Amino acid sequence: MIQFTTDEHAPVWKGYVLAALMFVSAVFLSIVQQQYFNICFTVGMRMRSAIVAAVYRKALVMSNAARKQSTVGEVVNLMSVDAQRFMDLMPFINIIWSGPFQIILAMYFLYTTMGASIFAGFGVMILLFPINGIIASKAHKYQVEQMKLKDERIKIMNEVLNGIKVLKMYAWELSFREKINSIRKREVRVLRNTLYLNAAASFTWTCAPFLVSLTTFAVYVLSSPNHVLTAEKAFVSISLFNILQFPLLAVPIMIAAVVQASVSLNRIQKYLNGDELDPTNVEHSSEIEAAISVDNATFSWEKDEEPTLQNISFTVPKGSLVAVVGQVGCGKSSLINCLLGNMEKIDGQVFVNGSVAYVAQQAWIQNLTVSNNILFGKALEEDQYRDVVKACELKEDFEMLPAGDQTEIGEKGINLSGGQKQRVSIARAVYQDKQIYLLDDPLSAVDAHVGKNIFENVFGPQGCLKSKTRILVTHGVSFLHQVDKIVVMTNGRISEVGTYDELLKKDGDFAEFIRNFVENGENEVFDEETNDSMTSSPPATPLNGDSVKGSVSSMSGPQQQRNRLISHQQSRISESERSRKNSVLQKQQSIEKESQQYQEKDKLITTEAAEVGNIKLSVLFSYMKAVGYFTCIIIVLAYMLSNAASVSTSIWLSAWSNDPINEDGSQNKTSYRLTVYGLLGLTQSIFVLVSSFALSFGSVLASVHLHSRMLSNLLKAPMSFFDTTPLGRIINRFSKDIYLIDEVVPQSLSSFFQTFFMVISTFVVVTYSTPIFAAVIVPVLILYWFVQRFYVRTSRQLKRLESISRSPIYSHFSETLSGATTIRAYGLQTAFIKQNEIKVDTNQTAYYPNFVSNRWLSVRLQIVGNLIVLFAAIFAVVEKGTINAGIVGLSISYASQVTQILTWIVRSASEIETNIVAVERVEEYANVKQEAPLEVEDSKPDDSWPHSGEINFLNYSTRYRDELDLVIHGINVDIKGGEKVGVVGRTGAGKSSLTLSLFRIIEAVEGMITIDGVDIRKIGLHSLRSKLSIIPQDPVLFCGTLRMNLDPFEAYSDDEIWNALEYSHLKQYVSSLAKQLDHDVAEGGENLSVGQRQLVCLARALLQKSKILILDEATAAVDLETDDLIQTTIRDKFADCTVFTIAHRLNTVMDSTRVLVLEAGKVVEYDSPDKLLKKKGLFHSMAEDAGLVT
């Protein structure tokens, strides 16, 4: 085209043909290129799906050692971040060969234009490659470190969210916030280094084309006076240098993508190569006569660990009922797990003959309807289903639930009581109709009379499972006389096996345990009868009938002992269920309210809402504020000035090429022109450097601020938020959305600023070159505007939908991990893998249209860009003779860049809009409703408060949420300092609500609570909660050392901690550990038994030495002997404290100074236990229900 404009004799049609050919070749390139990208993104999407599926499948077969190494946080990152990295790599993967190919072609054409001088430019390129190598090496190192820290952060975040209620009650939020923030600081330090490294790489490769052109031009014009820079040479060379620019700019992006993908590949490889459970640990054989046969088997939880079970030998005949008993930590649950194949077999053989059903000690419930939890993938058979529901005592619960058995259960069974969860778990096992039932202490969480009914109707000799083989781990003794065989566990070994009567006659460990238990139980009965009452009234009605039936010494025969045990065991009223059902009722009321709103009666966990419309300006401003307004101005100015310098360089080159040529073939002022050209290029490079570093600095500040604010405010959110928000949804914010803010948004901003100012530069240069072009700019821009707005709206919503459809993948995965043992036991791995694939497919249905719309946009925008080239060429033809060759070269070389730039600017703009959604989502959780302040300086109580522990409820009323009914109605209760108060009541009475009120987990609607005369509403939450001790119903432990779990603020000495462990009966166990107090606790405390975890919670309370202790069914998961030890410790060490007990064993309440009886949120009785029994009121009828009085 330049030749045409300089050739006076060239026909006009030739110019139009050249213009048309330029347009057609550009359109052809656009179509081929977009098809290529479409294929790349499709392959990338499939790779991501395959990786997510492989990670999920692996999670179902991981060994215990591998589970320890790969935490939930790490695996979530594998699915969210690492799988995405392979997708990001796909569009660039072919640059490995196409990049060098483009460079060779460009160099060849440059050689034909500029001769040997291009080798000088090529030398500069070669010199830049080692720099690139160093950058890539450093980037790899930082990437590995960053991912490790990200895993650690997500792991702790996952634990914090799982135990948020306990954290709030212990007032530990600040400790864990600091722990997460300290990891985040290290992560940000690595991130900052990575971004600065990227800025340096960006500077290097932005300078590369200019340095190559400067070196080439300098060598060319200085090597011979006859080498003059004509317009043709200058702008053909510039166009070829621009062709070079793409592979040179793409190389660092590709290297970064390859580095990230290689790091991710290693992480995925390590995870997928992790140890798996050996399927030969348990041999399924129909050849053996018995249902289960274990021969001299030794098992450990990990291959290199000391054996947990040693020399285990026993046989279970088909159709028999076998009980497994023993103290906390003796290996009962391990025995069940070895039969399930969840432990490493060191020696011996285990044979199982038949299909297996399993009921875990801690019920695993899915976020599905109650009905679907029971069906567990099996087809509904009405009669069988009805019989199972009736046998498992669920009929009344269904009547109470807002949508019956179609009520949706929240994540982890949040809207069911512990007893209801366990009964749903039992119902699931019964409905599956298997041949062998492994039952890990399923009755500890239910009321005594409910447990009795379930045993009789389900597990017992006359139950619906009477023809099945049953192995029942139990801490209860009232059922033992009905079982066929009892296996006694002691320190990981079977010490005795036999029937109830045989073991009593043997006078071994079992008989000793029974004797101790009866003596303790009998003494308690006597204590309750002779307990000093508030008055000198005569003894209350004896608990075992009209009189105490004999003494321990008079009990000689097994039958008498058995009767005594049955009576005493029934006193384990285990109001476990009742105390939990109160909070459940509130949550169920919440469901009813929400059901009206959503017109779905059974919906608890709401569907995650997608924002619609444009990204709010407030979101952009919040990001700018996080970056810093001054930094934003610096960034924009630096990008603007670097582009101004770039345009100046091109205009200067145009002017240089138009310099007249002397008669001897030389040009004047060559050195001057070259020097200014070099200085302008250097100025451009400096501004590029400033802009890149300023953007990196600002984006790191924004990341730190947004994460810190979200974390801080989320930890201060009320419990109602966590009850109705799935864990996966919150984790998604902390993993994928923070990753986008950390790494993707800065890249999108950098790309946008570069392309935006390049487009402006192009229009300025083309209009400056051919002023007539201004007439075309307006319609082209209007067309461009409509195309990109149409696209951006679609793309933005697709991105939002993709983000929302991603959360269920993580929620389902977390759910699967926690229930992997149950899933394997029932052999439902295939069904769960299918569910995961469906959720991934749903996510891809939003993702696939997203990148297809990208291709749609690119084709149309590139055609718009090609039209600009066409018009620039046509105007050059029209104005032939009136404009010089240098201006034509300048105009067409800039116009030819527009095709790529227009595509990139819209893509960058849409990427900012779609990725800034991450900021929007983080902001959403950073602005959640907050609890009251943690500290109120004006009304901070003394350090010695509370002095006596006196509690007063004054006309106190409360509710769970504003839209729900009151759960406590105007109660007035005075509790004197040092009193031991038991709280009892039937389902929904308000017992748990009272406990939550003390901690201000729920706030007063009217009235108040005072502790030692201080209105608890007027003090900070931490001032209050740190002064109350609680032993919660569900023991929660966190990943870290045992010391950290006892004392996260490091406020106590080793001696104090050891004393607490001694009084909580853990000293002997902890002393036997290799690291003792520095023993590593696994995620969720999985390497301790449930009973041991409960004892750790007791040790926490002992350390705190508070004047007020709340027991929330604290001993439901421990055996009777350990329960007696705990009760003794509480009576001894908290003698002068106010003890507030939610009753779960009636003998514990009988030991209280007074008993508070609640019904429908109101106080109906409040007096000493013996007086209440005489009254023959509600308390008396509850005691009757439990079989404690006649």
Side-chain angles (χ1 to χ4, degrees):
M1 184 59 78
I2 293 170
Q3 276 183 348
F4 167 78
T5 54
T6 54
D7 185 357
E8 293 176 7
H9 305 293
V12 175
W13 64 264
K14 188 179 177 184
Y16 288 120
V17 169
L18 285 171
L21 285 172
M22 285 172 72
F23 176 72
V24 170
S25 61
V27 168
F28 177 73
L29 172 66
S30 299
I31 291 168
V32 172
Q33 196 175 43
Q34 295 319 310
Q35 189 60 39
Y36 160 75
F37 277 122
N38 186 54
I39 293 166
C40 283
F41 277 108
T42 306
V43 172
M45 185 182 77
R46 287 173 180 163
M47 281 182 75
R48 188 180 76 165
S49 302
I51 290 166
V52 170
V55 167
Y56 184 87
R57 285 163 187 261
K58 181 70 178 184
L60 288 170
V61 293
M62 283 164 67
S63 70
N64 297 295
R67 278 285 290 273
K68 260 184 172 178
Q69 290 171 359
S70 303
T71 61
V72 173
E74 183 181 339
V75 182
V76 166
N77 274 341
L78 289 177
M79 296 175 93
S80 61
V81 179
D82 293 286
Q84 185 67 36
R85 293 261 162 85
F86 284 93
M87 200 156 177
D88 296 340
L89 174 67
M90 284 316 297
F92 302 105
I93 194 77
N94 285 302
I95 293 171
I96 292 171
W97 65 267
S98 70
F101 180 67
Q102 285 180 57
I103 290 169
I104 291 164
L105 274 180
M107 293 302 289
Y108 169 74
F109 288 120
L110 274 168
Y111 181 76
T112 60
T113 307
M114 303 291 290
S117 56
I118 66 111
F119 290 114
F122 186 68
V124 171
M125 283 170 55
I126 297 296
L127 286 173
L128 288 171
F129 276 105
I131 296 170
N132 203 51
I134 294 165
I135 289 171
S137 167
K138 277 278 188 192
H140 184 274
K141 180 186 159 195
Y142 289 144
Q143 198 63 43
V144 171
E145 195 176 345
Q146 191 182 343
M147 289 309 295
K148 208 176 281 180
L149 292 166
K150 200 186 290 282
D151 291 342
E152 198 177 335
R153 175 172 59 83
I154 297 296
K155 179 182 83 174
I156 294 177
M157 197 67 228
N158 190 62
E159 286 200 312
V160 165
L161 293 172
N162 274 315
I164 189 70
K165 190 175 184 179
V166 169
L167 276 187
K168 285 181 178 292
M169 286 180 163
Y170 284 138
W172 282 3
E173 305 106 296
L174 293 179
S175 168
F176 278 82
R177 189 183 75 187
E178 286 311 306
K179 198 172 178 185
I180 293 166
N181 278 336
S182 69
I183 296 168
R184 177 68 178 161
K185 271 179 194 167
R186 284 152 54 206
E187 186 187 349
V188 165
R189 200 178 303 126
V190 178
L191 174 68
R192 186 180 287 116
N193 291 340
T194 306
L195 288 175
Y196 286 167
L197 201 66
N198 289 342
S202 176
F203 166 72
T204 307
W205 294 104
T206 305
C207 293
F210 165 74
L211 285 172
V212 170
S213 62
L214 175 66
T215 314
T216 304
F217 290 154
V219 170
Y220 181 73
V221 297
L222 295 177
S223 61
S224 168
N226 293 326
H227 284 177
V228 294
L229 202 62
T230 62
E232 187 182 339
K233 286 186 185 297
F235 288 102
V236 168
S237 299
I238 287 292
S239 294
L240 290 167
F241 286 138
N242 286 336
I243 290 172
L244 267 183
Q245 191 170 7
F246 176 73
L248 290 178
L249 280 173
V251 162
I253 298 171
M254 181 203 69
I255 288 173
V258 168
V259 164
Q260 290 176 345
S262 68
V263 171
S264 294
L265 181 65
N266 289 336
R267 285 159 49 81
I268 291 167
Q269 198 173 5
K270 181 187 170 190
Y271 171 78
L272 294 178
N273 286 336
D275 285 346
E276 295 181 3
L277 290 169
D278 186 349
T280 62
N281 285 339
V282 175
E283 295 177 50
H284 291 269
S285 170
S286 57
E287 293 177 8
I288 61 167
E289 288 184 16
I292 293 170
S293 174
V294 182
D295 182 22
N296 200 31
T298 298
F299 280 86
S300 70
W301 283 103
E302 293 180 32
K303 283 178 180 174
D304 302 329
E305 273 190 356
E306 286 293 310
T308 309
L309 300 173
Q310 296 183 57
N311 306 323
I312 302 290
S313 294
F314 70 102
T315 303
V316 180
K318 287 181 180 176
S320 62
L321 171 58
V322 175
V324 181
V325 298
Q327 294 183 341
V328 168
C330 68
K332 301 184 296 297
S333 295
S334 298
L335 184 67
I336 296 289
N337 275 284
C338 90
L339 297 176
L340 288 169
N342 293 331
M343 296 179 72
E344 300 292 345
K345 185 171 71 176
I346 297 168
D347 195 15
Q349 288 182 307
V350 178
F351 294 99
V352 172
N353 179 8
S355 57
V356 174
Y358 168 61
V359 180
Q361 188 173 9
Q362 290 182 304
W364 175 68
I365 302 294
Q366 291 181 271
N367 181 201
L368 300 168
T369 63
V370 182
S371 173
N372 284 336
N373 266 282
I374 295 171
L375 297 176
F376 207 40
K378 195 176 175 184
L380 175 65
E381 291 179 22
E382 289 282 354
D383 293 341
Q384 185 191 353
Y385 181 78
R386 204 165 35 247
D387 293 344
V388 168
V389 167
K390 186 180 176 185
C392 296
E393 300 280 309
L394 281 167
K395 199 172 178 184
E396 284 182 22
D397 297 280
F398 286 0
E399 289 167 6
M400 188 175 71
L401 292 169
D405 65 348
Q406 295 307 306
T407 302
E408 184 196 11
I409 302 179
E411 202 171 31
K412 297 187 178 172
I414 194 76
N415 53 325
L416 294 183
S417 73
Q420 286 172 325
K421 283 191 277 190
Q422 196 60 276
R423 283 182 283 125
V424 168
S425 183
I426 293 168
R428 174 171 60 208
V430 175
Y431 188 79
Q432 298 308 303
D433 194 26
K434 302 291 185 180
Q435 293 164 311
I436 297 169
Y437 283 76
L438 303 177
L439 311 161
D440 193 355
D441 199 16
L443 300 177
S444 64
V446 298
D447 285 357
H449 68 283
V450 173
K452 179 172 173 286
N453 291 343
I454 289 176
F455 185 84
E456 287 175 359
N457 298 333
V458 181
F459 305 141
Q462 304 306 315
C464 59
L465 297 180
K466 60 188 176 187
S467 62
K468 311 290 186 182
T469 306
R470 294 139 291 158
I471 296 185
L472 173 67
V473 169
T474 182
H475 287 132
V477 293
S478 60
F479 312 124
L480 295 182
H481 67 285
Q482 297 186 56
V483 305
D484 299 319
K485 192 188 290 185
I486 298 169
V487 174
V488 184
M489 299 288 297
T490 310
N491 297 325
R493 296 172 184 269
I494 293 177
S495 58
E496 293 179 299
V497 179
T499 64
Y500 183 86
D501 292 341
E502 284 170 3
L503 292 178
L504 281 181
K505 284 176 186 172
K506 215 184 250 188
D507 205 23
D509 290 345
F510 180 74
E512 179 64 26
F513 163 69
I514 294 292
R515 271 199 297 276
N516 287 342
F517 172 70
V518 174
E519 284 171 15
N520 289 339
E522 194 63 35
N523 288 339
E524 282 177 20
V525 173
F526 279 115
D527 288 345
E528 285 157 10
E529 291 181 323
T530 58
N531 187 31
D532 288 336
S533 303
M534 299 300 289
T535 64
S536 56
S537 57
T541 307
L543 298 185
N544 266 341
D546 294 330
S547 61
V548 179
K549 298 176 183 174
S551 64
V552 178
S553 58
S554 69
M555 292 174 64
S556 53
Q559 185 62 39
Q560 288 172 300
Q561 287 196 23
R562 183 185 305 153
N563 292 340
R564 175 81 61 201
L565 280 167
I566 294 164
S567 300
H568 187 85
Q569 178 65 13
Q570 285 172 349
S571 81
R572 286 184 79 172
I573 175 94
S574 225
E575 282 230 333
S576 62
E577 208 143 325
R578 294 178 183 153
S579 70
R580 280 180 254 203
K581 283 180 183 170
N582 177 39
S583 62
V584 168
L585 203 64
Q586 316 317 323
K587 287 166 186 166
Q588 286 156 356
Q589 286 177 354
S590 155
I591 300 169
E592 288 171 352
K593 295 281 182 184
E594 287 172 8
S595 67
Q596 293 165 16
Q597 191 176 350
Y598 293 100
Q599 298 181 348
E600 290 182 2
K601 198 179 174 189
D602 58 337
K603 201 74 179 164
L604 173 76
I605 304 295
T606 56
T607 305
E608 190 171 4
E611 296 285 337
V612 292
N614 291 342
I615 298 291
K616 296 184 186 78
L617 281 174
S618 59
V619 176
L620 291 169
F621 280 122
S622 70
Y623 188 74
M624 286 171 66
K625 186 180 176 185
V627 170
Y629 292 121
F630 180 71
T631 311
C632 288
I633 292 166
I634 297 272
I635 292 165
V636 173
L637 273 176
Y639 274 108
M640 194 186 296
L641 291 170
S642 71
N643 270 278
S646 175
V647 170
S648 302
T649 308
S650 298
I651 291 171
W652 185 258
L653 191 63
S654 174
W656 182 3
S657 67
N658 285 329
D659 280 351
I661 300 171
N662 299 326
E663 290 180 5
D664 60 356
S666 64
Q667 271 178 322
N668 298 327
K669 301 189 290 184
T670 300
S671 299
Y672 165 67
R673 290 285 191 190
L674 189 62
T675 305
V676 172
Y677 181 72
L679 288 172
L680 285 170
L682 183 64
T683 307
Q684 180 195 355
S685 302
I686 289 167
F687 283 125
V688 166
L689 188 66
V690 171
S691 62
S692 298
F693 273 91
L695 182 61
S696 298
F697 175 76
S699 59
V700 168
L701 282 181
S703 288
V704 170
H705 173 77
L706 289 167
H707 179 274
S708 175
R709 193 159 155 263
M710 176 167 70
L711 175 65
S712 182
N713 288 354
L714 201 67
L715 290 177
K716 288 188 274 188
M719 271 310 299
S720 56
F721 170 79
F722 297 100
D723 287 347
T724 55
T725 308
L727 184 69
R729 198 178 293 175
I730 302 173
I731 287 292
N732 194 8
R733 298 292 201 277
F734 280 93
S735 60
K736 186 63 185 275
D737 290 318
I738 288 294
Y739 156 72
L740 289 173
I741 292 168
D742 281 354
E743 299 181 41
V744 180
V745 170
Q747 289 173 13
S748 301
L749 284 171
S750 174
S751 179
F752 173 75
F753 284 132
Q754 281 177 8
T755 51
F756 176 74
F757 287 115
M758 281 172 80
V759 166
I760 290 174
S761 305
T762 299
F763 283 129
V764 167
V765 167
V766 175
T767 308
Y768 163 79
S769 307
T770 47
I772 194 174
F773 184 77
V776 180
I777 284 180
V778 175
V780 165
L781 284 179
I782 290 170
L783 180 61
Y784 161 82
W785 173 259
F786 275 115
V787 168
Q788 71 95 20
R789 286 320 297 162
F790 184 76
Y791 163 75
V792 166
R793 284 176 188 165
T794 309
S795 173
R796 184 177 54 228
Q797 284 311 114
L798 285 170
K799 184 70 176 176
R800 282 169 171 158
L801 290 171
E802 192 271 329
S803 293
I804 287 164
S805 62
R806 201 189 312 124
S807 296
I809 298 173
Y810 305 145
S811 292
H812 180 248
F813 181 71
S814 296
E815 197 173 70
T816 302
L817 272 186
S818 57
T821 303
T822 303
I823 294 165
R824 283 196 300 268
Y826 287 99
L828 290 174
Q829 294 96 316
T830 307
F832 274 80
I833 287 166
K834 185 69 180 169
Q835 282 180 38
N836 174 64
E837 288 171 355
I838 289 168
K839 289 181 192 303
V840 172
D841 285 347
T842 304
N843 178 240
Q844 304 293 38
T845 55
Y847 188 83
Y848 182 74
N850 198 11
F851 73 73
V852 168
S853 66
N854 247 314
R855 307 284 66 77
W856 177 93
L857 168 83
S858 296
V859 169
R860 278 146 190 81
L861 282 189
Q862 287 191 7
I863 287 171
V864 172
N866 296 337
L867 284 172
I868 291 171
V869 176
L870 178 65
F871 287 126
I874 287 171
F875 292 143
V877 174
V878 170
E879 296 194 6
K880 182 187 174 189
T882 60
I883 57 172
N884 59 48
I887 294 295
V888 171
L890 183 66
S891 173
I892 293 177
S893 67
Y894 261 83
S896 63
Q897 291 180 52
V898 159
T899 307
Q900 292 291 340
I901 295 167
L902 275 180
T903 307
W904 277 108
I905 189 173
V906 176
R907 188 171 299 140
S908 302
S910 70
E911 268 187 21
I912 288 173
E913 279 219 47
T914 51
N915 290 322
I916 213 91
V917 168
V919 176
E920 182 181 46
R921 285 158 59 81
V922 166
E923 279 290 315
E924 180 194 346
Y925 278 15
N927 293 316
V928 290
K929 183 183 171 186
Q930 301 286 282
E931 285 185 305
L934 298 181
E935 300 289 355
V936 179
E937 291 300 327
D938 298 342
S939 56
K940 205 170 183 180
D942 300 335
D943 289 341
S944 58
W945 178 86
H947 315 287
S948 63
E950 184 178 335
I951 304 171
N952 301 102
F953 291 86
L954 305 171
N955 194 32
Y956 184 82
S957 300
T958 187
R959 56 166 60 100
Y960 275 79
R961 290 189 219 154
D962 293 341
E963 70 271 17
L964 302 181
D965 297 330
L966 292 175
V967 291
I968 300 289
H969 299 264
I971 67 169
N972 289 284
V973 176
D974 296 329
I975 299 169
K976 297 183 176 68
E979 275 196 310
K980 311 293 181 275
V981 175
V983 184
V984 299
R986 298 194 186 279
T987 299
K991 303 182 299 297
S992 292
S993 303
L994 218 55
T995 307
L996 298 176
S997 299
L998 278 172
F999 285 91
R1000 287 179 64 193
I1001 297 290
I1002 52 177
E1003 296 281 9
V1005 174
E1006 59 179 316
M1008 61 177 161
I1009 302 171
T1010 64
I1011 296 177
D1012 281 3
V1014 175
D1015 183 351
I1016 65 170
R1017 291 174 305 175
K1018 294 180 179 174
I1019 61 173
L1021 292 179
H1022 271 198
S1023 301
L1024 169 68
R1025 292 169 180 171
S1026 61
K1027 297 293 184 178
L1028 304 176
S1029 295
I1030 183 166
I1031 304 177
Q1033 174 188 344
D1034 296 317
V1036 176
L1037 267 64
F1038 301 96
C1039 202
T1041 64
L1042 192 58
R1043 185 197 304 271
M1044 186 279 292
N1045 272 282
L1046 291 167
D1047 178 24
F1049 291 102
E1050 298 180 1
Y1052 303 101
S1053 67
D1054 277 13
D1055 289 342
E1056 288 174 303
I1057 293 173
W1058 279 111
N1059 283 336
L1061 289 172
E1062 184 176 355
Y1063 294 127
S1064 59
H1065 313 286
L1066 275 173
K1067 187 175 181 180
Q1068 186 180 350
Y1069 170 72
V1070 176
S1071 300
S1072 69
L1073 299 171
K1075 294 184 182 176
Q1076 298 193 344
L1077 289 177
D1078 292 322
H1079 173 69
D1080 291 317
V1081 176
E1083 199 168 6
E1086 285 184 359
N1087 55 346
L1088 297 176
S1089 74
V1090 177
Q1092 286 169 327
R1093 286 180 235 165
Q1094 198 65 278
L1095 294 176
V1096 170
C1097 293
L1098 173 62
R1100 286 173 183 164
L1102 287 163
L1103 270 177
Q1104 206 170 343
K1105 297 172 189 161
S1106 170
K1107 275 286 180 185
I1108 298 172
L1109 172 67
I1110 293 102
L1111 301 173
D1112 185 3
E1113 308 176 38
T1115 53
V1118 297
D1119 61 76
L1120 297 169
E1121 192 175 351
T1122 308
D1123 181 26
D1124 287 334
L1125 293 172
I1126 291 173
Q1127 297 298 344
T1128 306
T1129 299
I1130 290 169
R1131 280 194 287 270
D1132 181 23
K1133 295 298 167 188
F1134 294 94
D1136 59 342
C1137 298
T1138 306
V1139 180
F1140 199 77
T1141 307
I1142 289 185
H1144 90 107
R1145 295 186 182 174
L1146 210 63
N1147 57 322
T1148 310
V1149 182
M1150 292 300 177
D1151 203 25
S1152 303
T1153 320
R1154 287 192 282 177
V1155 174
L1156 178 66
V1157 185
L1158 295 174
E1159 186 169 38
K1162 295 174 184 172
V1163 177
V1164 289
E1165 294 174 351
Y1166 183 42
D1167 213 328
S1168 61
D1170 54 346
K1171 283 187 175 179
L1172 292 180
L1173 284 171
K1174 281 181 180 175
K1175 259 189 191 179
K1176 305 253 175 174
L1178 182 59
F1179 182 68
H1180 183 272
S1181 75
M1182 288 173 65
E1184 270 187 331
D1185 285 349
L1188 294 173
V1189 294
T1190 54

